[in-house]
Amino acid sequence: MPAVTQTREAVEKLGQSTYKWGFETDIEMDMAPKGLNEDIIRLISSRKEEPEWMLEWRLAAYKTWQAMTEPKWAKVGYPPIDYQDAHYYAAPLKKPGPKSLDEVDPELLRTYEKLGIPLHEQAMLAGVEVPEGERMPVAVDAVFDSVSVATTFRKTLEEAGVIFCPISEAVKEHPDLVRKYLGTVVPAGDNFFSALNSAVFTDGSFVYVPKGVRCPMELSTYFRINAKNTGQFERTLIVVEEGASVSYLEGCTAPMRDENQLHAAVVELVAMDDASIKYSTVQNWYPGDEDGRGGIYNFVTKRGICRGARSKISWTQVETGSAITWKYPSCILQGEGSVGEFYSVAVTNNRQQADTGTKMIHLGRNTRSTIIAKTISAGRSDSTYRGLVRVQPKASGARNFTQCDSLLIGDQCGAHTVPYIESRNMNARIEHEATTSKISEDQLFYCRQRGLSEEDAVGLIVNGFCRDVLKELPMEFAVEAQKLLQISLEGSVG
Amino acid sequence: MSQFLEISGLCAQIDADGQEKQILRGVDLSIPPGEVHVIMGPNGSGKSTLSYVLAGREDYEVTAGTATFHGQNLLAMEPEERAAAGLFLAFQSPIELPGVNNANFLRTAVNAVRRARGLEELDAVAFLKMAREAAKALSMAPDMLKRNVNVGFSGGEKKRNEVLQMTLLQPTFAILDETDSGLDVDALRIVAEGVNRLRAPTFSALVITHHQKLLDYLVPDRIHVMARGRIILSGGPELARQIDQEGYTKFLAEVA
């Protein structure tokens, strides 16, 4: 996979502990004035040429948001955010829609090259016949700031009947589907950040896999924050019909800057009978400098609903970036025998703070959930696992297994585990295991005696610690994630 | 410079709960290339400390003396540099690395020392072929390469795994710290054969043991008796048999 190889190389070039993806692309921007009010929302809606119902939906969300207050229960601390001091819309100025990659701003393509995901290579890939036994190609819906500039692979996907497009396009071209599902898993008023997102979201992905279709390739979106002071409000909706399946990959990098940047995404997944959705994330937003200045604030609401019987939703995340992470990818297990999984690695270094975990809500009979959360703290960072397992009265035979392991590097970091367990059914079986450990001197010395450098030894031990999670990632991501883990922890030992 | 390993007046201490505890009190030892030397001695005499200090464990502070290896100042080198230079320590209690695949660990280690020695790195296929052959020679179950490093290994499996690592890393100087302890007779023979296969005019070993049994298979060149942080007596292979029959008391009394 050339694209993937280059991604890997790009990651490898990050040989030093400083964040190297701190470049900014010089492209003309079409930007809304700072501030948030109904006029701005109308502006966003009109720039996106949205139908009336979409505008109404946004305005209702905005009203809800105005009545809400920012949640303060997470174990993260940051200065107050001035929501009026940000731009809520920024789009690269474009000629009437690029018909092909040739029409895409070359500056933009160069940005992707720096990131290691050259679109032209992916376009080439689209035309390449994949021999038997080779890995499935990866489709990338590239989100550059707020507007999706180019979408590849669409043709192959169309033939399979899969819709994979920017959500703004889906609002116009598949309004019935979007209207039917948008906000059904994460209602606008679910929380402060989801309400904000619902009011001002500018782009994101829409995926629809029809009945019985196994998506012929892994779908991938690379996010990237670019414009100064522009909050990113991605909105992703994935609907998988009966007996269908999809694997979705999300990876993030962001350029360096001084101001803190707000990121409040919402992701909704819907799985019908026997459907399966695998959602994988490698998150590497700029974490701030060694003193924690300038990192991304990442407030994400991700939730999936297993509506159908025997459906399955699996979240896998590797979180190495952001100054603040507030994120709880969750599963509502409604269908009988449905399965929810959450595999997470969260790494914090320097001054990073992460409060992340999951919620498994068991509604249906014989529903099952698995939670494997690995937390690694280094430097002066603080990391919290916060998870809820709730079994409702009708969920007879429900089962959960939770394992939370924390690894501490150095003596100035913190790791916290906050499990909430609520069972309203006598037949439920819930298991929770937790460990906290440090990388031992014995282990480091053993590795070094065998010829490994100290940093390689830490990388090896940390990757071993995370193995149960990393093995859930698609192959391309797993390699990148392993490298990222090591890079994120560089300078944390010795 | 003609000497291979040269230790002179080596003193080392460890910080035990804020108290400095002197463990090595002037070790003198010289091992020529191609020889197998044995250190015996009562518990707490400093045998394992000597092996850790030679391998570069940071908990121990060297307060006096020198150690040179191939003419280089061993004590100034990082542990991984010592490994690359050809020093290998078979641990008395091998360390577990949860989640780290044994083959992957071995290959990472082998390629790290190959890189440092200016050799080409081995690809996965070439490495696995070599590792499987070496494992088979040590009568190790094939799945041991797939398991996590030392996790859930029996005592005997751990020791064999140490010898496997030694075989693959091709050291010029190996320290075996009670590699024979906890092994049954068959395992002992297999481990000893593993060491014997490495024997060459360019390979030396320092074997720490309490038992004559291992020496029946290894046939050492010199025996050293260590007590209270020093080498108090050296002799030929017959010394080990004497100790096996008479114990240390007599020798300790002689030097006291």
Tab-separated table of all heavy atoms in Angstrom, chain A residues 440-454 456 460-461 463-465 467, chain B residues 56-58 78-80 83 87-89 91 95-96 98-100 105 109 112 150 162 165:
chain	number	residue	atom	x	y	z
A	440	SER	N	9.299	-1.704	35.043
A	440	SER	CA	10.273	-1.997	36.092
A	440	SER	C	11.697	-1.847	35.579
A	440	SER	O	11.978	-2.018	34.392
A	440	SER	CB	10.045	-3.392	36.653
A	440	SER	OG	10.530	-4.353	35.741
A	441	GLU	N	12.595	-1.515	36.498
A	441	GLU	CA	14.018	-1.429	36.181
A	441	GLU	C	14.508	-2.770	35.665
A	441	GLU	O	15.352	-2.836	34.785
A	441	GLU	CB	14.807	-1.026	37.431
A	441	GLU	CG	14.585	0.410	37.870
A	441	GLU	CD	15.112	1.407	36.842
A	441	GLU	OE1	16.175	1.153	36.256
A	441	GLU	OE2	14.447	2.426	36.615
A	442	ASP	N	13.961	-3.842	36.246
A	442	ASP	CA	14.343	-5.182	35.816
A	442	ASP	C	14.072	-5.379	34.333
A	442	ASP	O	14.906	-5.900	33.591
A	442	ASP	CB	13.548	-6.244	36.597
A	442	ASP	CG	14.090	-6.439	38.006
A	442	ASP	OD1	15.250	-6.054	38.243
A	442	ASP	OD2	13.351	-6.955	38.858
A	443	GLN	N	12.867	-4.968	33.911
A	443	GLN	CA	12.504	-5.150	32.507
A	443	GLN	C	13.407	-4.333	31.594
A	443	GLN	O	13.872	-4.822	30.564
A	443	GLN	CB	11.042	-4.754	32.282
A	443	GLN	CG	10.062	-5.735	32.896
A	443	GLN	CD	8.633	-5.266	32.742
A	443	GLN	OE1	8.342	-4.071	32.776
A	443	GLN	NE2	7.716	-6.201	32.594
A	444	LEU	N	13.645	-3.079	31.977
A	444	LEU	CA	14.502	-2.224	31.153
A	444	LEU	C	15.912	-2.798	31.051
A	444	LEU	O	16.493	-2.856	29.969
A	444	LEU	CB	14.574	-0.817	31.757
A	444	LEU	CG	13.394	0.101	31.471
A	444	LEU	CD1	13.601	1.441	32.159
A	444	LEU	CD2	13.222	0.294	29.968
A	445	PHE	N	16.438	-3.230	32.188
A	445	PHE	CA	17.801	-3.757	32.187
A	445	PHE	C	17.885	-5.040	31.360
A	445	PHE	O	18.836	-5.247	30.600
A	445	PHE	CB	18.274	-4.010	33.627
A	445	PHE	CG	19.645	-4.600	33.706
A	445	PHE	CD1	20.747	-3.906	33.222
A	445	PHE	CD2	19.838	-5.867	34.240
A	445	PHE	CE1	22.019	-4.454	33.273
A	445	PHE	CE2	21.113	-6.424	34.293
A	445	PHE	CZ	22.206	-5.724	33.813
A	446	TYR	N	16.880	-5.872	31.503
A	446	TYR	CA	16.850	-7.126	30.739
A	446	TYR	C	16.920	-6.833	29.239
A	446	TYR	O	17.710	-7.429	28.506
A	446	TYR	CB	15.567	-7.886	31.081
A	446	TYR	CG	15.504	-9.312	30.585
A	446	TYR	CD1	16.351	-10.277	31.084
A	446	TYR	CD2	14.563	-9.688	29.634
A	446	TYR	CE1	16.274	-11.595	30.647
A	446	TYR	CE2	14.479	-10.995	29.185
A	446	TYR	CZ	15.329	-11.951	29.697
A	446	TYR	OH	15.246	-13.243	29.265
A	447	CYS	N	16.096	-5.905	28.787
A	447	CYS	CA	16.082	-5.556	27.361
A	447	CYS	C	17.405	-4.944	26.923
A	447	CYS	O	17.929	-5.262	25.858
A	447	CYS	CB	14.955	-4.572	27.056
A	447	CYS	SG	13.320	-5.266	27.249
A	448	ARG	N	17.929	-4.051	27.758
A	448	ARG	CA	19.175	-3.384	27.372
A	448	ARG	C	20.331	-4.384	27.360
A	448	ARG	O	21.227	-4.291	26.519
A	448	ARG	CB	19.476	-2.228	28.318
A	448	ARG	CG	18.447	-1.112	28.202
A	448	ARG	CD	18.740	0.017	29.163
A	448	ARG	NE	19.911	0.782	28.735
A	448	ARG	CZ	20.480	1.725	29.499
A	448	ARG	NH1	20.003	1.980	30.697
A	448	ARG	NH2	21.513	2.390	29.050
A	449	GLN	N	20.319	-5.350	28.282
A	449	GLN	CA	21.367	-6.369	28.279
A	449	GLN	C	21.328	-7.162	26.976
A	449	GLN	O	22.322	-7.681	26.516
A	449	GLN	CB	21.201	-7.300	29.482
A	449	GLN	CG	22.522	-7.906	29.973
A	449	GLN	CD	23.234	-8.737	28.933
A	449	GLN	OE1	22.666	-9.665	28.381
A	449	GLN	NE2	24.485	-8.387	28.636
A	450	ARG	N	20.152	-7.222	26.380
A	450	ARG	CA	20.043	-7.938	25.099
A	450	ARG	C	20.344	-7.037	23.909
A	450	ARG	O	20.158	-7.428	22.762
A	450	ARG	CB	18.637	-8.535	24.948
A	450	ARG	CG	18.261	-9.538	26.029
A	450	ARG	CD	19.293	-10.640	26.195
A	450	ARG	NE	18.866	-11.664	27.138
A	450	ARG	CZ	19.522	-11.993	28.251
A	450	ARG	NH1	20.640	-11.371	28.566
A	450	ARG	NH2	19.063	-12.941	29.032
A	451	GLY	N	20.756	-5.788	24.190
A	451	GLY	CA	21.225	-4.919	23.110
A	451	GLY	C	20.269	-3.820	22.696
A	451	GLY	O	20.565	-3.035	21.807
A	452	LEU	N	19.091	-3.741	23.335
A	452	LEU	CA	18.128	-2.706	22.948
A	452	LEU	C	18.470	-1.389	23.647
A	452	LEU	O	18.851	-1.380	24.805
A	452	LEU	CB	16.707	-3.122	23.360
A	452	LEU	CG	15.925	-3.985	22.382
A	452	LEU	CD1	16.595	-5.332	22.184
A	452	LEU	CD2	14.518	-4.173	22.907
A	453	SER	N	18.287	-0.285	22.928
A	453	SER	CA	18.469	1.014	23.569
A	453	SER	C	17.330	1.219	24.556
A	453	SER	O	16.304	0.546	24.492
A	453	SER	CB	18.444	2.127	22.525
A	453	SER	OG	17.138	2.255	22.010
A	454	GLU	N	17.511	2.177	25.452
A	454	GLU	CA	16.487	2.406	26.467
A	454	GLU	C	15.145	2.763	25.827
A	454	GLU	O	14.098	2.274	26.231
A	454	GLU	CB	16.952	3.526	27.403
A	454	GLU	CG	16.049	3.681	28.600
A	454	GLU	CD	16.754	4.346	29.770
A	454	GLU	OE1	17.650	5.171	29.524
A	454	GLU	OE2	16.399	4.049	30.914
A	456	ASP	N	14.074	2.039	22.775
A	456	ASP	CA	13.501	0.860	22.118
A	456	ASP	C	12.904	-0.089	23.157
A	456	ASP	O	11.866	-0.717	22.915
A	456	ASP	CB	14.566	0.125	21.298
A	456	ASP	CG	14.899	0.882	20.020
A	456	ASP	OD1	14.138	1.797	19.668
A	456	ASP	OD2	15.913	0.562	19.389
A	460	LEU	N	9.103	-1.277	23.280
A	460	LEU	CA	8.760	-2.702	23.236
A	460	LEU	C	7.838	-3.072	24.411
A	460	LEU	O	6.829	-3.751	24.243
A	460	LEU	CB	10.054	-3.515	23.307
A	460	LEU	CG	9.969	-4.983	22.924
A	460	LEU	CD1	9.866	-5.109	21.417
A	460	LEU	CD2	11.207	-5.724	23.411
A	461	ILE	N	8.186	-2.580	25.587
A	461	ILE	CA	7.406	-2.918	26.778
A	461	ILE	C	6.007	-2.294	26.696
A	461	ILE	O	5.000	-2.936	26.996
A	461	ILE	CB	8.154	-2.461	28.055
A	461	ILE	CG1	9.427	-3.300	28.234
A	461	ILE	CG2	7.268	-2.582	29.288
A	461	ILE	CD1	10.425	-2.719	29.220
A	463	ASN	N	4.410	-1.369	23.945
A	463	ASN	CA	3.630	-2.041	22.911
A	463	ASN	C	3.137	-3.400	23.385
A	463	ASN	O	2.042	-3.829	23.039
A	463	ASN	CB	4.432	-2.164	21.616
A	463	ASN	CG	4.324	-0.904	20.778
A	463	ASN	OD1	3.231	-0.438	20.486
A	463	ASN	ND2	5.458	-0.338	20.416
A	464	GLY	N	3.950	-4.060	24.211
A	464	GLY	CA	3.512	-5.329	24.788
A	464	GLY	C	2.318	-5.119	25.707
A	464	GLY	O	1.336	-5.853	25.663
A	465	PHE	N	2.422	-4.057	26.485
A	465	PHE	CA	1.344	-3.698	27.416
A	465	PHE	C	0.032	-3.432	26.659
A	465	PHE	O	-1.056	-3.753	27.131
A	465	PHE	CB	1.796	-2.451	28.187
A	465	PHE	CG	0.781	-1.856	29.105
A	465	PHE	CD1	0.494	-2.449	30.323
A	465	PHE	CD2	0.126	-0.676	28.761
A	465	PHE	CE1	-0.439	-1.882	31.177
A	465	PHE	CE2	-0.801	-0.105	29.611
A	465	PHE	CZ	-1.092	-0.716	30.825
A	467	ARG	N	-0.786	-4.670	23.651
A	467	ARG	CA	-0.982	-5.631	22.577
A	467	ARG	C	-2.438	-6.029	22.377
A	467	ARG	O	-2.936	-6.120	21.256
A	467	ARG	CB	-0.142	-6.872	22.832
A	467	ARG	CG	0.235	-7.643	21.579
A	467	ARG	CD	0.993	-8.893	21.964
A	467	ARG	NE	0.063	-9.886	22.449
A	467	ARG	CZ	-0.507	-10.805	21.674
A	467	ARG	NH1	-0.205	-10.855	20.399
A	467	ARG	NH2	-1.351	-11.680	22.182
B	56	GLY	N	26.368	-4.078	33.659
B	56	GLY	CA	26.040	-2.654	33.637
B	56	GLY	C	24.760	-2.253	34.328
B	56	GLY	O	24.176	-1.226	34.009
B	57	ARG	N	24.316	-3.022	35.274
B	57	ARG	CA	23.102	-2.652	35.989
B	57	ARG	C	23.344	-1.386	36.812
B	57	ARG	O	24.335	-1.289	37.536
B	57	ARG	CB	22.670	-3.807	36.887
B	57	ARG	CG	21.424	-3.480	37.636
B	57	ARG	CD	20.440	-4.575	37.701
B	57	ARG	NE	19.222	-3.936	38.168
B	57	ARG	CZ	18.052	-4.484	38.206
B	57	ARG	NH1	17.899	-5.698	37.777
B	57	ARG	NH2	17.017	-3.815	38.628
B	58	GLU	N	22.418	-0.418	36.697
B	58	GLU	CA	22.686	0.906	37.264
B	58	GLU	C	22.499	0.988	38.780
B	58	GLU	O	22.969	1.933	39.409
B	58	GLU	CB	21.814	1.957	36.568
B	58	GLU	CG	22.436	2.415	35.256
B	58	GLU	CD	21.431	2.948	34.263
B	58	GLU	OE1	20.243	3.087	34.632
B	58	GLU	OE2	21.817	3.222	33.114
B	78	GLU	N	27.382	1.717	28.265
B	78	GLU	CA	25.969	1.460	28.568
B	78	GLU	C	25.720	-0.045	28.456
B	78	GLU	O	26.439	-0.746	27.737
B	78	GLU	CB	25.073	2.191	27.563
B	78	GLU	CG	25.129	3.710	27.640
B	78	GLU	CD	24.542	4.258	28.927
B	78	GLU	OE1	23.656	3.590	29.507
B	78	GLU	OE2	24.979	5.339	29.369
B	79	PRO	N	24.692	-0.548	29.133
B	79	PRO	CA	24.417	-1.994	29.049
B	79	PRO	C	24.290	-2.489	27.612
B	79	PRO	O	24.820	-3.556	27.269
B	79	PRO	CB	23.084	-2.140	29.789
B	79	PRO	CG	23.021	-0.982	30.717
B	79	PRO	CD	23.767	0.137	30.052
B	80	GLU	N	23.594	-1.696	26.758
B	80	GLU	CA	23.394	-2.156	25.380
B	80	GLU	C	24.702	-2.143	24.591
B	80	GLU	O	24.885	-2.917	23.657
B	80	GLU	CB	22.297	-1.354	24.676
B	80	GLU	CG	22.504	0.151	24.578
B	80	GLU	CD	21.904	0.907	25.760
B	80	GLU	OE1	21.849	0.340	26.878
B	80	GLU	OE2	21.487	2.059	25.566
B	83	ALA	N	26.436	-5.287	25.464
B	83	ALA	CA	25.821	-6.398	24.728
B	83	ALA	C	26.350	-6.432	23.309
B	83	ALA	O	26.701	-7.487	22.781
B	83	ALA	CB	24.297	-6.257	24.739
B	87	LEU	N	29.054	-9.070	25.225
B	87	LEU	CA	28.824	-9.590	26.567
B	87	LEU	C	27.364	-10.023	26.718
B	87	LEU	O	26.447	-9.303	26.346
B	87	LEU	CB	29.169	-8.511	27.606
B	87	LEU	CG	29.131	-8.924	29.080
B	87	LEU	CD1	30.179	-8.122	29.859
B	87	LEU	CD2	27.763	-8.683	29.705
B	88	PHE	N	27.170	-11.196	27.256
B	88	PHE	CA	25.810	-11.699	27.462
B	88	PHE	C	25.669	-12.196	28.895
B	88	PHE	O	26.545	-12.871	29.425
B	88	PHE	CB	25.523	-12.851	26.498
B	88	PHE	CG	24.137	-13.413	26.649
B	88	PHE	CD1	23.086	-12.907	25.904
B	88	PHE	CD2	23.874	-14.452	27.556
B	88	PHE	CE1	21.794	-13.409	26.051
B	88	PHE	CE2	22.598	-14.962	27.713
B	88	PHE	CZ	21.562	-14.441	26.961
B	89	LEU	N	24.558	-11.844	29.513
B	89	LEU	CA	24.274	-12.333	30.864
B	89	LEU	C	23.013	-13.186	30.832
B	89	LEU	O	21.933	-12.713	30.466
B	89	LEU	CB	24.073	-11.153	31.827
B	89	LEU	CG	23.529	-11.500	33.224
B	89	LEU	CD1	24.463	-12.413	33.994
B	89	LEU	CD2	23.254	-10.223	34.027
B	91	PHE	N	20.297	-14.552	32.914
B	91	PHE	CA	19.798	-14.142	34.230
B	91	PHE	C	19.462	-15.340	35.110
B	91	PHE	O	18.942	-16.349	34.630
B	91	PHE	CB	18.549	-13.269	34.066
B	91	PHE	CG	18.838	-11.845	33.666
B	91	PHE	CD1	19.551	-11.569	32.515
B	91	PHE	CD2	18.380	-10.783	34.434
B	91	PHE	CE1	19.815	-10.260	32.130
B	91	PHE	CE2	18.642	-9.472	34.059
B	91	PHE	CZ	19.356	-9.205	32.917
B	95	ILE	N	13.441	-12.250	33.283
B	95	ILE	CA	12.372	-11.276	33.487
B	95	ILE	C	11.226	-11.513	32.502
B	95	ILE	O	11.446	-11.811	31.330
B	95	ILE	CB	12.932	-9.853	33.283
B	95	ILE	CG1	14.190	-9.634	34.119
B	95	ILE	CG2	11.876	-8.803	33.597
B	95	ILE	CD1	13.997	-9.747	35.614
B	96	GLU	N	10.002	-11.352	32.978
B	96	GLU	CA	8.832	-11.504	32.102
B	96	GLU	C	8.509	-10.182	31.403
B	96	GLU	O	8.569	-9.131	32.014
B	96	GLU	CB	7.619	-11.950	32.938
B	96	GLU	CG	7.847	-13.298	33.612
B	96	GLU	CD	6.631	-13.788	34.373
B	96	GLU	OE1	5.606	-13.067	34.389
B	96	GLU	OE2	6.702	-14.881	34.946
B	98	PRO	N	5.308	-9.025	29.572
B	98	PRO	CA	3.943	-9.342	29.145
B	98	PRO	C	3.596	-8.676	27.802
B	98	PRO	O	3.921	-7.521	27.593
B	98	PRO	CB	3.071	-8.751	30.275
B	98	PRO	CG	3.976	-8.589	31.449
B	98	PRO	CD	5.340	-8.340	30.875
B	99	GLY	N	2.955	-9.450	26.940
B	99	GLY	CA	2.503	-8.904	25.652
B	99	GLY	C	3.588	-8.821	24.597
B	99	GLY	O	3.311	-8.495	23.454
B	100	VAL	N	4.841	-9.096	24.976
B	100	VAL	CA	5.928	-9.017	23.995
B	100	VAL	C	6.223	-10.421	23.467
B	100	VAL	O	6.640	-11.298	24.209
B	100	VAL	CB	7.205	-8.417	24.617
B	100	VAL	CG1	8.323	-8.350	23.584
B	100	VAL	CG2	6.922	-7.040	25.194
B	105	PHE	N	10.836	-10.225	20.169
B	105	PHE	CA	11.857	-9.724	21.099
B	105	PHE	C	13.243	-10.178	20.660
B	105	PHE	O	14.185	-9.391	20.583
B	105	PHE	CB	11.544	-10.232	22.511
B	105	PHE	CG	12.593	-9.911	23.536
B	105	PHE	CD1	12.826	-8.605	23.926
B	105	PHE	CD2	13.354	-10.915	24.105
B	105	PHE	CE1	13.803	-8.305	24.870
B	105	PHE	CE2	14.328	-10.624	25.054
B	105	PHE	CZ	14.552	-9.315	25.436
B	109	ALA	N	16.314	-7.840	19.374
B	109	ALA	CA	17.603	-7.861	20.060
B	109	ALA	C	18.733	-8.243	19.098
B	109	ALA	O	19.767	-7.574	19.042
B	109	ALA	CB	17.547	-8.837	21.241
B	112	ALA	N	19.444	-5.475	16.790
B	112	ALA	CA	20.083	-4.341	17.468
B	112	ALA	C	21.586	-4.586	17.608
B	112	ALA	O	22.394	-3.706	17.314
B	112	ALA	CB	19.451	-4.111	18.840
B	150	ASN	N	9.029	-15.121	28.456
B	150	ASN	CA	9.109	-15.698	29.813
B	150	ASN	C	7.784	-15.755	30.574
B	150	ASN	O	7.740	-16.219	31.713
B	150	ASN	CB	10.149	-14.956	30.676
B	150	ASN	CG	11.561	-15.161	30.160
B	150	ASN	OD1	11.878	-16.227	29.653
B	150	ASN	ND2	12.380	-14.142	30.273
B	162	GLU	N	16.909	-18.478	27.993
B	162	GLU	CA	18.139	-17.695	28.150
B	162	GLU	C	19.238	-18.246	27.238
B	162	GLU	O	19.940	-17.477	26.579
B	162	GLU	CB	18.631	-17.735	29.610
B	162	GLU	CG	17.711	-17.040	30.608
B	162	GLU	CD	17.675	-15.538	30.423
B	162	GLU	OE1	18.645	-14.854	30.758
B	162	GLU	OE2	16.642	-15.049	29.916
B	165	GLN	N	18.557	-17.308	23.676
B	165	GLN	CA	18.956	-15.924	23.397
B	165	GLN	C	20.458	-15.834	23.222
B	165	GLN	O	20.956	-15.161	22.320
B	165	GLN	CB	18.519	-15.006	24.543
B	165	GLN	CG	17.006	-14.886	24.658
B	165	GLN	CD	16.591	-13.966	25.790
B	165	GLN	OE1	17.181	-12.922	26.008
B	165	GLN	NE2	15.587	-14.366	26.533
